[in-house]
Amino acid sequence: MAAWAPRPALTQRTLPHLRRPVDVMTPDVIGVSPSAAAADIAAFTGLATLIVAATIALVVTDLKRIIAYSTMSQIGYMVVAVSIGAYAAGIFHLMTHAFFKALLFLAAGSVIIGMHHEQDIRHMGGLRKYLPITYWTSVIGTLALIGFPGFSGFFSKDALIEAVHASTTPGHTLAYWSVLLGVFVGLALARRQATPLDADAAHD
């Protein structure tokens, strides 16, 4: 797979997300169900996506696949939010995520080009001194991804988690603890994504 060029990275990471507001802006699909079965199914699907995708991202070694599965995990957050009626929180995280994940894909593309199209993180490490701009753009994207205070991901994830916690829909307690678990898994993913640029992860 070729590395991400700026325009494809922005369009392929952002435009697919912009199709999802159509789903978010039609809450009748979920909210009108008399038995709330649709909401339960959506919540379960979101939680499964969040956890399974994040778990896969922790074991694959292809840099782009790590970020791609991380993206799917974040989409799980959005689905959970919409399923419990937090449409504003879902759309907010959708928009912030589209942009900071595009930044991470651009950084990954820079690393892959610098490594002559090598994508296996087991063959990377210590690239910070060779790719300083890539390093700092990756740091910015990663801080937003983990929800570090002051970055966009902090505000959108906080709003999403708070909305899930305040929900009174059935199963909201499980959803709340699951999204909290997702935050800590996200920290592990961020560390894994940083491996190519980390001086301490240099390989011989």
Side-chain angles (χ1 to χ4, degrees):
M1 298 173 69
W4 290 83
R7 190 174 355 177
L10 289 172
T11 56
Q12 293 188 41
R13 289 296 94 204
T14 304
L15 293 182
H17 285 65
L18 296 181
R19 292 200 304 265
R20 296 188 181 92
V22 176
D23 300 327
V24 175
M25 290 184 286
T26 55
D28 291 344
V29 173
I30 293 176
V32 162
S33 175
S35 64
D40 291 341
I41 293 172
F44 177 79
T45 302
L47 292 174
T49 301
L50 190 163
I51 295 169
V52 172
T55 302
I56 295 173
L58 288 173
V59 296
V60 296
T61 58
D62 184 301
L63 178 59
K64 283 168 60 176
R65 290 183 185 276
I66 292 171
I67 302 176
Y69 281 115
S70 172
T71 297
M72 291 306 302
S73 180
Q74 294 297 309
I75 290 172
Y77 276 102
M78 304 168 203
V79 174
V80 170
V82 172
S83 71
I84 57 96
Y87 306 111
I91 194 72
F92 184 28
H93 190 57
L94 181 150
M95 294 303 297
T96 60
H97 175 263
F99 289 98
F100 67 66
K101 191 53 69 73
L103 181 61
L104 287 171
F105 266 105
L106 287 169
S110 176
V111 169
I112 292 167
I113 291 296
M115 290 290 294
H116 305 288
H117 300 280
E118 174 62 66
Q119 296 181 194
D120 192 331
I121 63 170
R122 293 173 296 182
H123 302 155
M124 300 178 185
L127 297 176
R128 174 180 175 178
K129 63 181 178 180
Y130 302 108
L131 302 169
I133 296 176
T134 298
Y135 171 76
W136 286 111
T137 55
S138 180
V139 166
I140 293 170
T142 299
L143 290 175
L145 172 65
I146 66 175
F148 191 82
F151 289 79
S152 61
F154 169 77
F155 298 104
S156 61
K157 278 191 176 183
D158 184 66
L160 192 153
I161 294 171
E162 184 178 358
V164 173
H165 181 61
S167 173
T168 57
T169 58
H172 75 279
T173 302
L174 174 62
Y176 173 68
W177 287 107
S178 296
V179 294
L180 279 184
L181 174 64
V183 171
F184 292 101
V185 174
L187 292 173
L189 284 177
R191 179 67 182 87
R192 189 167 173 77
Q193 290 172 195
T195 297
L197 296 166
D198 190 349
D200 295 331
H203 294 274
D204 294 331

